[in-house]
Amino acid sequence: MNSTDLSVLKSAVEWLQSGQSVAIATVVQTWGSAPRPVGSWLAIRADGQVAGSVSGGCVEDDLIRRVQTEILTRNTPEMVVYGVTQQEAARFGLPCGGTLRLLVEPKPELAVLEQLLENISSHQITRRSVSLSTGKSTLTLGNRSDEFVCTEQEMQTTYGPRWRMVIIGAGQLSLYTADFALASDFEVIVIDPREEYAEGLNRTDITFSKGMPDDVLLEIGVDSHTAVVALTHDPKLDDMALMEALKSPAFYVGALGSRKNTQKRKERLLEFDVSEEQVEKLHGPVGLYIGALTPPEIAVSILAEVIAVKHGISVPKKV
């Protein structure tokens, strides 16, 4: 589960705090064209109220019934499988014979979920381990590279913003881009040493740094789960940041500017300690071409391109 499931976690915590019985279902394995990915979360209340989804609506009705009549009466997690046969897949609306394996926890621990909610709200990456034999869970420090694990003994899931976007510049376009990035489950860091922009940035959901962009990138340690987007239109700031970003494992590096300016920027970067192969990693002009004109539209195009690259979708070259 990523932090986009924050609303599901909040609902589960609120329901448990009010004394209601709640079960939590997690997608632990899929085959074929199952409609929801591993780690997807669903909270089910004893009266049938739900938050979240594990199948996009295909199996939820049957799962709610099973939770109400069977699972909530138990003390330990239960593995539930849908779509084992073509007939079952058709019955539950799973596309192309898809199969869904769910771990349902009938007695999630309120104290653990409250701590998890606090950690996610403060952008901490947290790993939750659940014992399948007892239902007890523990929280430990997570890592961006953690993988989902489910064995016969334990389920381990990492929660929180495992993807990060670093935005160079704190102008209007940057803030729109930050908003869309936050909505897409990115942790957002904005870097801008210019006082005139720093004064207007008072956001608790964004980490802001007044340092020089290249220095800050080195300090935070850019990894393969990080996207770097340079949006100041000031070569003194953008180019220095891009020099470090292009040499890093960042999965995406983009910069604002026309095709002509992008070509000039690449030529400048080649004069420094940046190889031709590294320079070719630069996405510029930043964003997919969708005819965007306004800052919000450009921000949408930027996030669209970042998400495409994140999921391994090829994007057309622009220069």
Side-chain angles (χ1 to χ4, degrees):
M1 182 182 77
N2 292 318
S3 59
T4 48
D5 286 308
L6 188 59
S7 61
V8 179
L9 180 56
K10 285 181 178 178
S11 294
V13 168
E14 290 171 1
W15 294 342
L16 288 168
Q17 287 174 338
S18 67
Q20 301 185 69
S21 296
V22 178
I24 293 175
T26 304
V27 177
V28 300
Q29 195 171 15
T30 64
W31 296 269
S33 300
R36 293 286 285 155
V38 166
S40 297
W41 227 40
L42 175 69
I44 305 171
R45 210 164 66 183
D47 63 359
Q49 181 71 38
V50 299
S53 173
V54 291
S55 75
C58 299
V59 305
E60 272 78 355
D61 286 347
D62 184 77
L63 182 60
I64 291 168
R65 179 192 61 78
R66 293 178 68 166
V67 165
Q68 290 177 307
T69 59
E70 306 170 26
I71 297 175
L72 279 176
T73 64
R74 298 168 186 163
N75 294 316
T76 57
E78 179 172 336
M79 201 67 71
V80 178
V81 180
Y82 287 101
V84 174
T85 65
Q86 287 290 340
Q87 290 79 8
E88 277 191 303
R91 173 189 169 197
F92 293 114
L94 294 170
C96 304
T99 302
L100 201 58
R101 188 166 172 243
L102 310 171
L103 181 69
V104 185
E105 302 171 60
K107 298 290 189 295
E109 301 155 283
L110 175 58
V112 173
L113 295 186
E114 287 176 329
Q115 185 61 55
L116 180 60
L117 178 59
E118 182 178 335
N119 290 359
I120 293 178
S121 298
S122 60
H123 306 293
Q124 295 181 40
I125 301 176
T126 304
R127 190 125 172 115
R128 177 172 176 254
S129 300
V130 181
S131 169
L132 272 61
S133 61
T134 67
K136 299 296 183 181
S137 59
T138 58
L139 302 180
T140 56
L141 184 66
N143 188 281
R144 294 181 192 281
S145 59
D146 286 342
E147 297 291 339
F148 179 89
V149 174
C150 187
T151 66
E152 293 182 358
Q153 294 78 36
E154 188 178 49
M155 178 181 72
Q156 297 180 1
T157 312
T158 298
Y159 305 79
R162 298 176 63 191
W163 297 88
R164 175 172 59 178
M165 177 175 288
V166 181
I167 301 173
I168 313 303
Q172 186 183 41
L173 173 58
S174 296
L175 297 184
Y176 278 115
T177 303
D179 286 335
F180 287 123
L182 289 168
S184 302
D185 198 38
F186 284 83
E187 173 189 0
V188 177
I189 300 173
V190 175
I191 308 171
D192 199 324
R194 300 171 297 180
E195 289 295 332
E196 62 270 28
Y197 287 96
E199 289 299 322
L201 187 58
N202 185 23
R203 298 272 299 268
T204 59
D205 53 352
I206 297 171
T207 301
F208 178 67
S209 174
K210 293 183 180 180
M212 291 301 294
D214 52 327
D215 292 335
V216 177
L217 288 178
L218 291 173
E219 289 170 8
I220 65 176
V222 176
D223 59 19
S224 60
H225 282 67
T226 303
V228 179
V229 183
L231 302 178
T232 73
H233 242 323
D234 183 346
K236 296 189 298 295
L237 298 177
D238 285 348
D239 287 5
M240 296 301 291
L242 293 171
M243 284 175 57
E244 298 302 334
L246 291 169
K247 291 185 287 185
S248 77
F251 78 90
Y252 178 93
V253 181
L256 187 67
S258 65
R259 284 175 168 76
K260 182 178 180 180
N261 286 337
T262 297
Q263 188 57 47
K264 288 181 179 179
R265 173 179 283 119
K266 289 185 174 182
E267 292 169 359
R268 289 196 304 270
L269 290 169
L270 286 171
E271 296 176 2
F272 295 94
D273 186 25
V274 186
S275 70
E276 186 169 343
E277 182 181 5
Q278 290 168 336
V279 167
E280 286 308 308
K281 289 168 52 180
L282 179 65
H283 291 270
V286 68
L288 293 179
Y289 179 72
I290 58 173
L293 297 175
T294 66
E297 291 176 345
I298 296 170
V300 168
S301 76
I302 292 172
L303 258 296
E305 185 170 67
V306 170
I307 291 170
V309 174
K310 171 187 169 186
H311 292 298
I313 306 301
S314 62
V315 297
K317 299 292 287 185
K318 303 164 195 151
V319 177

